[in-house]
Coordinates of all heavy atoms in Angstrom, one line a residue:
M1 N 142.3 -2.1 47.2 CA 141.2 -3.0 47.5 C 140.1 -2.8 46.4 O 139.5 -3.8 46.0 CB 140.7 -2.7 48.9 CG 139.8 -3.8 49.4 SD 140.5 -5.4 49.4 CE 141.3 -5.5 51.0
P2 N 139.7 -1.6 46.0 CA 138.6 -1.5 45.0 C 139.0 -2.2 43.7 O 138.1 -2.6 43.0 CB 138.5 0.0 44.8 CG 139.2 0.7 45.9 CD 140.2 -0.3 46.4
D3 N 140.3 -2.3 43.4 CA 140.7 -2.9 42.2 C 140.4 -4.4 42.2 O 139.9 -5.0 41.2 CB 142.2 -2.7 42.0 CG 142.7 -3.2 40.6 OD1 141.9 -3.1 39.7 OD2 143.9 -3.6 40.5
Q4 N 140.5 -5.0 43.4 CA 140.2 -6.5 43.5 C 138.6 -6.7 43.3 O 138.2 -7.6 42.7 CB 140.6 -7.0 44.8 CG 140.5 -8.5 45.0 CD 141.0 -9.0 46.3 OE1 141.2 -8.2 47.2 NE2 141.2 -10.3 46.4
R5 N 137.8 -5.8 43.9 CA 136.4 -5.9 43.7 C 136.0 -5.8 42.3 O 135.1 -6.5 41.8 CB 135.7 -4.9 44.6 CG 135.8 -5.2 46.1 CD 135.0 -4.1 46.8 NE 135.2 -4.3 48.3 CZ 134.9 -3.4 49.2 NH1 134.3 -2.3 48.8 NH2 135.1 -3.7 50.4
D6 N 136.6 -4.9 41.6 CA 136.3 -4.7 40.2 C 136.6 -5.9 39.4 O 135.9 -6.4 38.5 CB 137.1 -3.5 39.6 CG 136.6 -2.1 40.2 OD1 135.4 -2.1 40.7 OD2 137.3 -1.2 40.1
T7 N 137.8 -6.5 39.7 CA 138.2 -7.7 39.0 C 137.2 -8.9 39.2 O 136.9 -9.6 38.3 CB 139.6 -8.2 39.5 OG1 140.5 -7.1 39.3 CG2 140.1 -9.3 38.7
V8 N 136.8 -9.0 40.5 CA 135.8 -10.1 40.8 C 134.5 -9.8 40.1 O 133.9 -10.8 39.5 CB 135.5 -10.1 42.3 CG1 134.4 -11.0 42.7 CG2 136.8 -10.6 43.1
L9 N 134.0 -8.6 40.0 CA 132.8 -8.2 39.3 C 132.9 -8.5 37.8 O 132.0 -9.1 37.2 CB 132.4 -6.8 39.5 CG 131.1 -6.3 38.9 CD1 130.0 -7.0 39.5 CD2 131.0 -4.8 39.1
I10 N 134.0 -8.2 37.2 CA 134.3 -8.5 35.8 C 134.3 -10.0 35.5 O 133.7 -10.5 34.6 CB 135.5 -7.8 35.3 CG1 135.4 -6.3 35.3 CG2 136.0 -8.3 33.9 CD1 136.6 -5.5 35.0
E11 N 134.9 -10.7 36.4 CA 135.0 -12.2 36.3 C 133.6 -12.8 36.4 O 133.3 -13.7 35.6 CB 136.0 -12.8 37.3 CG 136.2 -14.2 37.2 CD 137.0 -14.6 35.9 OE1 137.8 -13.7 35.4 OE2 136.8 -15.7 35.4
Q12 N 132.8 -12.3 37.3 CA 131.5 -12.9 37.5 C 130.6 -12.6 36.2 O 129.8 -13.4 35.8 CB 130.8 -12.3 38.7 CG 131.3 -12.8 40.0 CD 130.7 -12.1 41.2 OE1 130.1 -11.1 41.1 NE2 130.8 -12.7 42.4
A13 N 130.8 -11.4 35.7 CA 130.0 -11.0 34.5 C 130.5 -11.9 33.3 O 129.6 -12.4 32.5 CB 130.2 -9.6 34.1
R14 N 131.8 -12.2 33.2 CA 132.3 -13.1 32.1 C 131.7 -14.5 32.3 O 131.3 -15.1 31.3 CB 133.8 -13.1 32.2 CG 134.4 -13.9 31.1 CD 135.9 -14.0 31.1 NE 136.5 -12.6 31.1 CZ 137.5 -12.2 31.8 NH1 138.1 -13.1 32.6 NH2 138.0 -11.0 31.7
I15 N 131.7 -15.0 33.5 CA 131.2 -16.4 33.7 C 129.7 -16.4 33.4 O 129.2 -17.4 32.8 CB 131.4 -16.8 35.2 CG1 132.9 -17.0 35.4 CG2 130.6 -18.0 35.6 CD1 133.3 -17.2 36.9
Q16 N 128.9 -15.4 33.8 CA 127.5 -15.3 33.5 C 127.2 -15.3 32.0 O 126.3 -16.0 31.5 CB 126.9 -14.1 34.2 CG 125.4 -14.0 34.1 CD 124.6 -15.2 34.8 OE1 125.2 -15.8 35.7 NE2 123.4 -15.4 34.4
R17 N 128.1 -14.5 31.3 CA 127.9 -14.5 29.9 C 128.2 -15.8 29.2 O 127.5 -16.2 28.3 CB 128.9 -13.4 29.3 CG 128.4 -12.8 28.0 CD 129.3 -11.6 27.6 NE 129.7 -10.7 28.6 CZ 131.0 -10.5 28.9 NH1 132.0 -11.0 28.2 NH2 131.3 -9.6 29.9
M18 N 129.2 -16.5 29.7 CA 129.5 -17.8 29.2 C 128.4 -18.8 29.4 O 128.0 -19.6 28.6 CB 130.8 -18.4 29.8 CG 132.1 -17.7 29.2 SD 133.7 -18.3 29.7 CE 133.4 -19.4 31.1
R19 N 127.8 -18.8 30.6 CA 126.7 -19.6 30.9 C 125.5 -19.4 30.1 O 124.8 -20.3 29.6 CB 126.3 -19.5 32.4 CG 127.3 -20.1 33.3 CD 126.9 -20.0 34.8 NE 127.9 -20.5 35.7 CZ 127.9 -20.4 37.0 NH1 126.9 -19.6 37.5 NH2 128.8 -20.9 37.7
L20 N 125.2 -18.1 29.9 CA 124.1 -17.7 29.0 C 124.3 -18.2 27.6 O 123.4 -18.7 26.9 CB 123.8 -16.2 29.1 CG 123.1 -15.7 30.3 CD1 123.1 -14.2 30.3 CD2 121.8 -16.3 30.5
G21 N 125.5 -18.0 27.1 CA 125.9 -18.5 25.7 C 125.7 -20.0 25.6 O 125.2 -20.5 24.6
S22 N 126.2 -20.7 26.6 CA 126.0 -22.2 26.6 C 124.6 -22.6 26.6 O 124.2 -23.5 25.9 CB 126.8 -22.8 27.8 OG 128.1 -22.6 27.7
A23 N 123.8 -21.9 27.4 CA 122.3 -22.2 27.5 C 121.7 -21.9 26.1 O 120.8 -22.7 25.7 CB 121.7 -21.4 28.6
L24 N 122.1 -20.9 25.5 CA 121.5 -20.5 24.2 C 121.9 -21.6 23.1 O 121.0 -22.0 22.3 CB 122.0 -19.1 23.7 CG 121.5 -18.6 22.4 CD1 120.0 -18.4 22.5 CD2 122.2 -17.4 22.0
L25 N 123.1 -22.0 23.1 CA 123.6 -23.0 22.1 C 123.1 -24.4 22.4 O 122.7 -25.1 21.5 CB 125.1 -23.0 22.1 CG 125.8 -21.8 21.4 CD1 127.3 -21.9 21.5 CD2 125.4 -21.8 19.9
Y26 N 123.2 -24.8 23.6 CA 122.9 -26.2 24.0 C 121.6 -26.5 24.7 O 121.3 -27.7 24.9 CB 124.1 -26.8 24.8 CG 125.4 -26.6 24.2 CD1 126.4 -25.8 24.7 CD2 125.8 -27.3 23.0 CE1 127.6 -25.6 24.1 CE2 127.0 -27.2 22.4 CZ 127.9 -26.3 22.9 OH 129.1 -26.2 22.4
G27 N 120.9 -25.5 25.1 CA 119.7 -25.7 25.8 C 119.9 -25.7 27.3 O 121.0 -25.6 27.8
R28 N 118.8 -25.9 28.0 CA 118.9 -26.0 29.5 C 119.7 -27.2 30.0 O 119.8 -28.2 29.2 CB 117.5 -26.0 30.1 CG 116.7 -24.7 29.9 CD 115.4 -24.7 30.5 NE 115.3 -25.6 31.7 CZ 114.2 -26.1 32.1 NH1 113.0 -25.9 31.5 NH2 114.1 -26.8 33.2
I29 N 120.1 -27.2 31.2 CA 121.0 -28.3 31.7 C 120.2 -29.6 31.7 O 120.7 -30.7 31.5 CB 121.6 -28.0 33.0 CG1 122.6 -29.0 33.5 CG2 120.5 -27.9 34.1 CD1 123.9 -28.5 33.6
D30 N 118.8 -29.5 32.0 CA 118.0 -30.8 32.0 C 118.0 -31.4 30.6 O 117.9 -32.6 30.5 CB 116.6 -30.4 32.4 CG 116.6 -29.9 33.9 OD1 117.5 -30.2 34.6 OD2 115.6 -29.2 34.2
E31 N 118.0 -30.6 29.6 CA 117.9 -31.1 28.2 C 119.3 -31.6 27.8 O 119.4 -32.4 26.9 CB 117.4 -30.0 27.3 CG 116.0 -29.5 27.6 CD 115.7 -28.2 26.8 OE1 116.5 -27.7 26.1 OE2 114.5 -27.8 27.0
R32 N 120.3 -31.1 28.4 CA 121.7 -31.5 28.0 C 122.1 -32.9 28.6 O 123.0 -33.5 28.1 CB 122.7 -30.5 28.4 CG 122.7 -29.3 27.5 CD 123.9 -28.4 27.8 NE 123.4 -27.4 28.8 CZ 124.2 -26.6 29.5 NH1 125.5 -26.7 29.4 NH2 123.7 -25.8 30.3
R33 N 121.4 -33.3 29.7 CA 121.7 -34.5 30.3 C 121.3 -35.7 29.4 O 120.2 -35.7 28.8 CB 121.0 -34.7 31.6 CG 121.6 -33.7 32.6 CD 121.3 -34.2 34.0 NE 121.6 -33.2 35.0 CZ 122.8 -33.0 35.5 NH1 123.8 -33.7 35.1 NH2 122.9 -32.0 36.4
T34 N 122.2 -36.6 29.2 CA 121.9 -37.7 28.3 C 121.3 -38.9 29.2 O 121.4 -38.9 30.4 CB 123.2 -38.2 27.6 OG1 124.1 -38.7 28.6 CG2 123.7 -37.1 26.8
V35 N 120.8 -39.9 28.5 CA 120.3 -41.1 29.1 C 121.4 -41.8 29.8 O 121.2 -42.4 30.9 CB 119.6 -42.0 28.1 CG1 119.1 -43.3 28.7 CG2 118.4 -41.3 27.5
N36 N 122.6 -41.7 29.2 CA 123.8 -42.4 29.8 C 124.0 -41.9 31.2 O 124.4 -42.7 32.1 CB 125.0 -42.2 28.9 CG 126.1 -43.2 29.2 OD1 125.9 -44.2 29.9 ND2 127.3 -42.8 28.8
D37 N 123.9 -40.6 31.4 CA 124.1 -40.0 32.8 C 123.1 -40.6 33.8 O 123.5 -41.0 34.9 CB 124.0 -38.5 32.8 CG 125.1 -37.8 32.0 OD1 126.2 -38.5 31.9 OD2 125.0 -36.7 31.6
H38 N 121.9 -40.7 33.4 CA 120.8 -41.2 34.2 C 121.0 -42.7 34.5 O 120.8 -43.2 35.6 CB 119.4 -40.9 33.7 CG 119.1 -39.4 33.6 ND1 119.2 -38.6 34.7 CD2 118.8 -38.6 32.6 CE1 118.9 -37.4 34.3 NE2 118.6 -37.4 33.0
F39 N 121.4 -43.4 33.5 CA 121.6 -44.8 33.6 C 122.8 -45.1 34.6 O 122.7 -46.1 35.4 CB 121.9 -45.5 32.2 CG 122.0 -46.9 32.2 CD1 120.8 -47.7 32.4 CD2 123.2 -47.6 32.1 CE1 120.9 -49.1 32.5 CE2 123.3 -49.0 32.1 CZ 122.1 -49.7 32.3
K40 N 123.8 -44.3 34.5 CA 125.0 -44.5 35.4 C 124.5 -44.3 36.9 O 124.9 -45.0 37.8 CB 126.1 -43.6 35.1 CG 126.9 -44.0 33.8 CD 128.0 -43.0 33.6 CE 128.7 -43.4 32.3 NZ 129.7 -42.4 31.9
R41 N 123.7 -43.3 37.0 CA 123.2 -43.0 38.4 C 122.3 -44.1 38.9 O 122.3 -44.5 40.0 CB 122.4 -41.7 38.4 CG 123.3 -40.5 38.3 CD 122.5 -39.2 38.5 NE 123.3 -38.1 38.3 CZ 122.9 -36.9 37.8 NH1 121.7 -36.8 37.4 NH2 123.7 -35.9 37.6
L42 N 121.5 -44.7 38.0 CA 120.6 -45.7 38.4 C 121.4 -47.0 38.8 O 121.1 -47.6 39.8 CB 119.7 -46.1 37.2 CG 118.8 -47.3 37.4 CD1 117.7 -47.0 38.5 CD2 118.1 -47.7 36.1
I43 N 122.4 -47.3 38.0 CA 123.2 -48.5 38.3 C 124.0 -48.3 39.6 O 124.0 -49.2 40.5 CB 124.2 -48.8 37.1 CG1 123.4 -49.2 35.9 CG2 125.2 -49.9 37.5 CD1 122.6 -50.5 36.1
G44 N 124.5 -47.1 39.8 CA 125.2 -46.8 41.0 C 124.3 -46.9 42.2 O 124.7 -47.4 43.3
S45 N 123.1 -46.4 42.1 CA 122.1 -46.4 43.2 C 121.7 -47.9 43.5 O 121.6 -48.2 44.7 CB 120.9 -45.6 42.9 OG 121.2 -44.3 42.6
L46 N 121.6 -48.7 42.5 CA 121.2 -50.1 42.7 C 122.3 -50.8 43.4 O 122.1 -51.6 44.4 CB 120.9 -50.8 41.4 CG 119.5 -50.4 40.8 CD1 119.4 -51.0 39.4 CD2 118.4 -50.7 41.7
I47 N 123.6 -50.6 43.0 CA 124.7 -51.2 43.7 C 124.8 -50.8 45.1 O 125.0 -51.6 46.0 CB 126.0 -50.9 42.9 CG1 126.0 -51.7 41.6 CG2 127.3 -51.3 43.7 CD1 127.1 -51.3 40.6
L48 N 124.7 -49.5 45.4 CA 124.7 -49.0 46.7 C 123.6 -49.6 47.6 O 123.8 -50.0 48.7 CB 124.6 -47.4 46.7 CG 124.6 -46.8 48.1 CD1 126.0 -47.0 48.7 CD2 124.4 -45.3 48.0
A49 N 122.4 -49.7 47.1 CA 121.3 -50.3 47.8 C 121.6 -51.8 48.1 O 121.3 -52.3 49.2 CB 120.0 -50.2 47.0
A50 N 122.2 -52.5 47.2 CA 122.5 -53.9 47.4 C 123.6 -54.0 48.5 O 123.5 -54.9 49.3 CB 123.0 -54.5 46.1
V51 N 124.5 -53.2 48.5 CA 125.6 -53.2 49.5 C 125.0 -52.9 50.9 O 125.3 -53.6 51.9 CB 126.7 -52.3 49.2 CG1 127.7 -52.1 50.4 CG2 127.5 -52.7 48.0
V52 N 124.1 -51.9 51.0 CA 123.5 -51.6 52.3 C 122.6 -52.7 52.8 O 122.6 -53.1 53.9 CB 122.6 -50.3 52.1 CG1 121.7 -50.1 53.3 CG2 123.5 -49.1 51.9
C53 N 121.9 -53.4 51.9 CA 121.1 -54.5 52.2 C 121.9 -55.7 52.7 O 121.6 -56.3 53.7 CB 120.2 -55.0 51.1 SG 118.8 -53.9 50.7
A54 N 123.0 -55.9 52.1 CA 123.9 -57.0 52.5 C 124.5 -56.7 53.9 O 124.7 -57.6 54.7 CB 125.1 -57.2 51.5
V55 N 124.9 -55.5 54.1 CA 125.4 -55.1 55.4 C 124.4 -55.3 56.5 O 124.6 -55.9 57.6 CB 126.0 -53.7 55.4 CG1 126.2 -53.2 56.8 CG2 127.2 -53.6 54.6
C56 N 123.1 -54.9 56.2 CA 122.0 -55.1 57.2 C 121.8 -56.6 57.5 O 121.6 -57.0 58.7 CB 120.8 -54.5 56.7 SG 120.8 -52.7 56.7
V57 N 121.8 -57.4 56.5 CA 121.6 -58.9 56.7 C 122.8 -59.5 57.5 O 122.5 -60.3 58.4 CB 121.4 -59.6 55.3 CG1 121.5 -61.1 55.4 CG2 120.1 -59.2 54.7
G58 N 124.0 -59.1 57.2 CA 125.1 -59.6 57.9 C 125.1 -59.2 59.4 O 125.4 -60.0 60.3
I59 N 124.8 -57.9 59.6 CA 124.7 -57.5 61.0 C 123.6 -58.2 61.8 O 123.7 -58.7 62.9 CB 124.5 -56.0 61.1 CG1 125.7 -55.2 60.7 CG2 124.1 -55.5 62.5 CD1 125.6 -53.7 60.5
S60 N 122.4 -58.4 61.1 CA 121.3 -59.1 61.7 C 121.7 -60.6 62.0 O 121.4 -61.1 63.1 CB 120.1 -59.1 60.8 OG 119.1 -59.9 61.3
F61 N 122.4 -61.2 61.1 CA 122.9 -62.6 61.3 C 123.8 -62.7 62.5 O 123.7 -63.6 63.4 CB 123.6 -63.1 60.1 CG 124.1 -64.5 60.2 CD1 123.3 -65.6 60.3 CD2 125.5 -64.7 60.4 CE1 123.8 -66.9 60.4 CE2 126.0 -65.9 60.5 CZ 125.2 -67.0 60.6
V62 N 124.8 -61.8 62.6 CA 125.7 -61.8 63.7 C 125.0 -61.6 65.0 O 125.3 -62.3 66.0 CB 126.9 -60.8 63.5 CG1 127.7 -60.7 64.7 CG2 127.7 -61.3 62.3
V63 N 124.1 -60.6 65.1 CA 123.4 -60.3 66.3 C 122.6 -61.5 66.8 O 122.5 -61.9 67.9 CB 122.5 -59.0 66.1 CG1 121.6 -58.9 67.3 CG2 123.4 -57.8 66.0
Q64 N 121.9 -62.2 65.8 CA 121.1 -63.3 66.1 C 121.9 -64.5 66.6 O 121.6 -65.2 67.6 CB 120.3 -63.7 64.9 CG 119.3 -64.9 65.2 CD 118.6 -65.3 63.9 OE1 118.8 -64.8 62.9 NE2 117.7 -66.2 64.1
L65 N 123.1 -64.7 66.0 CA 124.0 -65.7 66.4 C 124.5 -65.5 67.8 O 124.5 -66.4 68.6 CB 125.2 -65.8 65.4 CG 126.1 -67.0 65.6 CD1 125.4 -68.3 65.2 CD2 127.3 -66.8 64.6
L66 N 124.9 -64.3 68.1 CA 125.4 -64.0 69.5 C 124.3 -64.1 70.5 O 124.5 -64.6 71.6 CB 126.0 -62.6 69.5 CG 127.3 -62.4 68.7 CD1 127.7 -60.9 68.7 CD2 128.4 -63.3 69.2
A67 N 123.1 -63.7 70.2 CA 121.9 -63.8 71.1 C 121.6 -65.3 71.3 O 121.3 -65.7 72.5 CB 120.7 -63.1 70.5
G68 N 121.7 -66.1 70.3 CA 121.5 -67.6 70.5 C 122.6 -68.2 71.4 O 122.3 -69.1 72.2
Q69 N 123.8 -67.8 71.2 CA 124.9 -68.3 72.1 C 124.7 -67.9 73.5 O 124.9 -68.6 74.5 CB 126.2 -67.9 71.6 CG 126.7 -68.6 70.3 CD 128.0 -68.1 69.8 OE1 128.6 -67.1 70.3 NE2 128.5 -68.7 68.8
R70 N 124.3 -66.6 73.7 CA 124.1 -66.1 75.0 C 122.9 -66.8 75.7 O 122.9 -67.1 76.9 CB 123.8 -64.6 75.0 CG 123.9 -64.0 76.4 CD 123.7 -62.4 76.3 NE 124.7 -61.9 75.4 CZ 124.5 -61.0 74.5 NH1 123.3 -60.5 74.3 NH2 125.5 -60.5 73.7
A71 N 121.8 -67.1 75.0 CA 120.7 -67.8 75.5 C 121.0 -69.3 75.9 O 120.4 -69.8 76.8 CB 119.5 -67.7 74.6
A72 N 121.9 -69.9 75.1 CA 122.2 -71.3 75.3 C 123.1 -71.5 76.6 O 123.2 -72.5 77.1 CB 122.9 -71.9 74.1
G73 N 123.6 -70.4 77.1 CA 124.5 -70.5 78.2 C 125.9 -70.9 77.9 O 126.2 -71.0 76.7
P74 N 126.7 -71.2 78.9 CA 128.1 -71.6 78.6 C 128.1 -72.9 77.9 O 127.3 -73.8 78.2 CB 128.7 -71.6 79.9 CG 127.6 -71.8 80.9 CD 126.4 -71.1 80.3
A75 N 129.0 -73.1 77.0 CA 129.1 -74.3 76.2 C 129.7 -75.4 77.1 O 130.6 -75.1 77.9 CB 130.0 -74.1 75.0
P76 N 129.1 -76.6 77.0 CA 129.7 -77.7 77.9 C 131.1 -78.0 77.5 O 131.5 -77.9 76.3 CB 128.8 -78.9 77.6 CG 128.1 -78.6 76.3 CD 128.1 -77.1 76.2
A77 N 131.9 -78.4 78.5 CA 133.3 -78.7 78.2 C 133.3 -80.0 77.4 O 132.6 -80.9 77.6 CB 134.1 -78.9 79.5
S78 N 134.1 -79.9 76.3 CA 134.2 -81.1 75.5 C 135.0 -82.2 76.1 O 136.0 -81.9 76.8 CB 134.8 -80.7 74.1 OG 136.2 -80.3 74.3
T79 N 134.5 -83.4 76.0 CA 135.2 -84.5 76.6 C 136.1 -85.2 75.5 O 135.6 -85.5 74.5 CB 134.2 -85.6 77.2 OG1 133.4 -86.0 76.1 CG2 133.4 -85.0 78.3
S80 N 137.3 -85.3 75.8 CA 138.2 -85.9 74.8 C 138.6 -87.3 75.3 O 138.8 -87.6 76.5 CB 139.4 -85.1 74.6 OG 140.1 -85.0 75.8
V81 N 138.7 -88.2 74.4 CA 139.1 -89.6 74.7 C 140.6 -89.6 74.5 O 141.1 -89.3 73.4 CB 138.4 -90.6 73.8 CG1 138.9 -92.0 74.0 CG2 136.9 -90.5 73.9
S82 N 141.3 -90.1 75.5 CA 142.7 -90.1 75.4 C 143.2 -91.5 74.8 O 142.6 -92.5 75.1 CB 143.4 -89.9 76.8 OG 143.0 -91.0 77.6
A83 N 144.1 -91.4 73.9 CA 144.6 -92.6 73.3 C 145.7 -93.2 74.1 O 146.4 -92.5 74.9 CB 145.2 -92.2 71.9
P84 N 145.9 -94.5 74.0 CA 146.9 -95.1 74.8 C 148.3 -94.7 74.3 O 148.4 -94.3 73.2 CB 146.8 -96.6 74.6 CG 146.0 -96.7 73.3 CD 145.1 -95.5 73.2
P85 N 149.3 -94.7 75.1 CA 150.6 -94.2 74.7 C 151.1 -95.1 73.6 O 150.8 -96.2 73.5 CB 151.4 -94.3 76.0 CG 150.6 -95.0 77.0 CD 149.2 -95.0 76.5
F86 N 152.0 -94.6 72.9 CA 152.6 -95.3 71.8 C 153.5 -96.5 72.2 O 153.8 -97.4 71.5 CB 153.4 -94.4 70.9 CG 152.6 -93.4 70.1 CD1 152.7 -92.1 70.4 CD2 151.7 -93.9 69.1 CE1 151.9 -91.2 69.7 CE2 150.9 -93.0 68.4 CZ 151.0 -91.6 68.7
D87 N 154.0 -96.4 73.4 CA 154.9 -97.5 74.0 C 154.2 -98.8 74.2 O 154.7 -99.9 74.0 CB 155.5 -97.0 75.3 CG 156.4 -95.8 75.1 OD1 156.8 -95.5 73.9 OD2 156.7 -95.2 76.1
S88 N 152.9 -98.7 74.5 CA 152.2 -99.9 74.9 C 151.7 -100.6 73.6 O 151.0 -99.9 72.8 CB 151.1 -99.7 75.8 OG 150.1 -98.8 75.2
I89 N 152.0 -101.8 73.4 CA 151.5 -102.6 72.2 C 150.6 -103.7 72.8 O 150.9 -104.3 73.8 CB 152.7 -103.2 71.5 CG1 153.6 -102.1 71.0 CG2 152.2 -104.1 70.4 CD1 154.9 -102.7 70.3
P90 N 149.4 -103.8 72.1 CA 148.5 -104.9 72.6 C 149.2 -106.2 72.6 O 150.1 -106.5 71.8 CB 147.4 -104.8 71.6 CG 147.5 -103.5 70.9 CD 148.9 -103.1 71.0
S91 N 148.8 -107.1 73.5 CA 149.5 -108.3 73.7 C 149.4 -109.3 72.6 O 150.2 -110.1 72.3 CB 149.1 -109.0 75.0 OG 147.7 -109.3 74.9
G92 N 148.3 -109.2 71.8 CA 148.1 -110.1 70.7 C 148.7 -109.7 69.4 O 148.9 -110.5 68.5
A93 N 149.2 -108.5 69.3 CA 149.7 -108.0 68.0 C 151.2 -108.1 68.0 O 151.9 -108.0 69.1 CB 149.3 -106.6 67.8
S94 N 151.8 -108.4 66.9 CA 153.3 -108.5 66.9 C 153.8 -107.4 66.0 O 153.4 -107.0 65.0 CB 153.8 -109.7 66.2 OG 153.3 -110.9 66.7

């Protein structure tokens, strides 16, 4: 078991050394971020906000539509006009 702990400690030291070397060569992580990264986040956030707004408007529309139907009461039965059967031909037509 102590052998595994030693291996983990050595690996952590190696990772820390690599991170420090990267920070020395390339600077802090804030300085390494490019405008392109921030622009992608901005566009993604705007798209997400637009989708959320569209969902809210759609839900509001459906709720308002259902409330209007409920307030109007049951819809009146539609009256249909029946056509004369095809067998009967008006007396004046040939």
Side-chain angles (χ1 to χ4, degrees):
M1 195 55 89
D3 190 28
Q4 187 179 13
R5 289 182 185 167
D6 292 341
T7 307
V8 169
L9 183 63
I10 291 171
E11 187 67 28
Q12 286 176 345
R14 183 180 305 141
I15 290 172
Q16 185 66 22
R17 205 175 320 124
M18 286 184 349
R19 287 181 181 168
L20 286 173
S22 294
L24 180 65
L25 286 174
Y26 303 113
R28 293 181 32 204
I29 189 118
D30 297 336
E31 296 167 0
R32 283 187 269 166
R33 293 204 190 274
T34 62
V35 174
N36 195 19
D37 290 341
H38 295 303
F39 186 70
K40 286 179 184 177
R41 286 186 185 149
L42 175 70
I43 296 297
S45 298
L46 289 175
I47 290 172
L48 181 64
V51 169
V52 168
C53 287
V55 168
C56 289
V57 168
I59 290 173
S60 175
F61 175 75
V62 169
V63 167
Q64 183 181 6
L65 187 67
L66 291 176
Q69 287 178 353
R70 192 175 301 134
S78 63
T79 57
S80 62
V81 177
S82 61
F86 291 113
D87 296 345
S88 65
I89 300 175
S91 60
S94 309

